[in-house]
Amino acid sequence: MALRTPSEAVAYATTHLTTGYNGMCLAHVQDAYGAVPVEPSAISAWNNSKHKHPTADLASAPYGAPIYWSQPGNPYGHIALHLDGDRMYTTDSAAGHPHEASISDWQNRYGYQPLGWTEDIENQPIPGIGEDMAISDQDAQKIAEKVWGYNYRGAAPGGNMFNLLVYELAHLVWAYKNSKVNGDKDAYRLLTDIAKNGPHDTWAYKNSKVNGDDDAYKLLTEIHQQLGQIINQMTTTGTDQ
């Protein structure tokens, strides 16, 4: 029977293997992956693995990978399932059940020494391991810098993709012309004219259906004058219209 993938192993462990397993960390990971038991302990599984990656930075392990520790005075070691970054899914005799925990906190609290991670569980290859591997913030930054700084065969005006998008695309927008809207003027020229003449154009607006030959300023001025006359008339006559 094929082993589960790392994502499947984590999903299975966190939904089905949530009780018991006190002092049985290797059995917990075996069952998560559906592996056949071979080794007697986590440290033995690590020592005999043919596909191990020694590292003190267990947070860099692929998602779902088996991660291993040694511990002074403990001949069995420890194994757990890596999640993302500093997180793992582990058995815990103190808690009495498997749970998610901090790798660094675990190491500091119990004195475990990180060994690394493996692409197998007791030399049974794990399918798809590393395909869900997360990258660090530093690596993500490096990738972003490469992407934004990329210039395909000199095709990007300005030297790279960042300049192309920021400057060249902006230039195309401002230089856009639409004969149905703004004649021979580009977008920049049109908006500049509006900024300069907008207030004047607004007050000078005429609509024959509303105000005949009067512009907006003259129309509002006349309305204001007429209202003033009515108020004065009401005041002087003392009548209540």
Side-chain angles (χ1 to χ4, degrees), residues 43-54:
I43 198 69
S44 179
W46 168 258
N47 290 335
N48 293 325
S49 170
K50 294 182 175 64
H51 306 282
K52 56 189 173 186
H53 298 264

Side-chain angles (χ1 to χ4, degrees), residues 44 47 72 77 85 94 123 126 164-165 170 176 179 199 219 236:
S44 179
N47 290 335
N123 285 312
I126 297 172
L164 174 66
L165 290 177
Y176 177 73
S179 59
L219 178 65
T236 54

Side-chain angles (χ1 to χ4, degrees), residues 216-226:
Y217 178 81
K218 189 173 183 180
L219 178 65
L220 288 175
T221 300
E222 291 176 353
I223 292 174
H224 179 267
Q225 291 174 345
Q226 291 174 5

Side-chain angles (χ1 to χ4, degrees), residues 92-236:
D92 189 341
S93 297
H97 59 84
H99 62 99
E100 183 177 336
S102 163
I103 294 173
S104 57
D105 178 68
W106 182 274
Q107 293 173 173
N108 294 332
R109 183 181 302 179
Y110 299 114
Y112 278 97
Q113 303 298 315
L115 296 173
W117 60 277
T118 61
E119 297 179 34
D120 63 80
I121 177 69
E122 299 169 290
N123 285 312
Q124 299 165 67
I126 297 172
I129 191 163
E131 293 180 1
D132 297 328
M133 190 170 183
I135 62 173
S136 66
D137 291 341
Q138 292 83 358
D139 287 341
Q141 179 67 28
K142 291 178 181 178
I143 292 172
E145 290 173 357
K146 290 291 185 182
V147 171
W148 285 115
Y150 183 68
N151 188 356
Y152 180 71
R153 297 181 179 178
N160 55 48
M161 186 177 292
F162 178 83
N163 288 332
L164 174 66
L165 290 177
V166 173
Y167 300 111
E168 295 300 321
L169 193 58
H171 172 74
L172 293 175
V173 171
W174 285 114
Y176 177 73
K177 293 182 180 181
N178 186 326
S179 59
K180 295 181 180 179
V181 177
N182 53 346
D184 293 332
K185 295 181 179 179
D186 57 33
Y188 177 82
R189 183 92 174 268
L190 180 65
L191 289 175
T192 301
D193 289 348
I194 291 175
K196 291 180 179 179
N197 303 321
H200 173 266
D201 290 342
T202 299
W203 286 115
Y205 177 72
K206 295 182 179 181
N207 187 326
S208 59
K209 295 182 179 180
V210 177
N211 54 344
D213 292 330
D214 291 342
D215 58 32
Y217 178 81
K218 189 173 183 180
L219 178 65
L220 288 175
T221 300
E222 291 176 353
I223 292 174
H224 179 267
Q225 291 174 345
Q226 291 174 5
L227 286 174
Q229 292 174 359
I230 293 173
I231 292 172
N232 288 334
Q233 184 180 0
M234 291 172 59
T235 302
T236 54

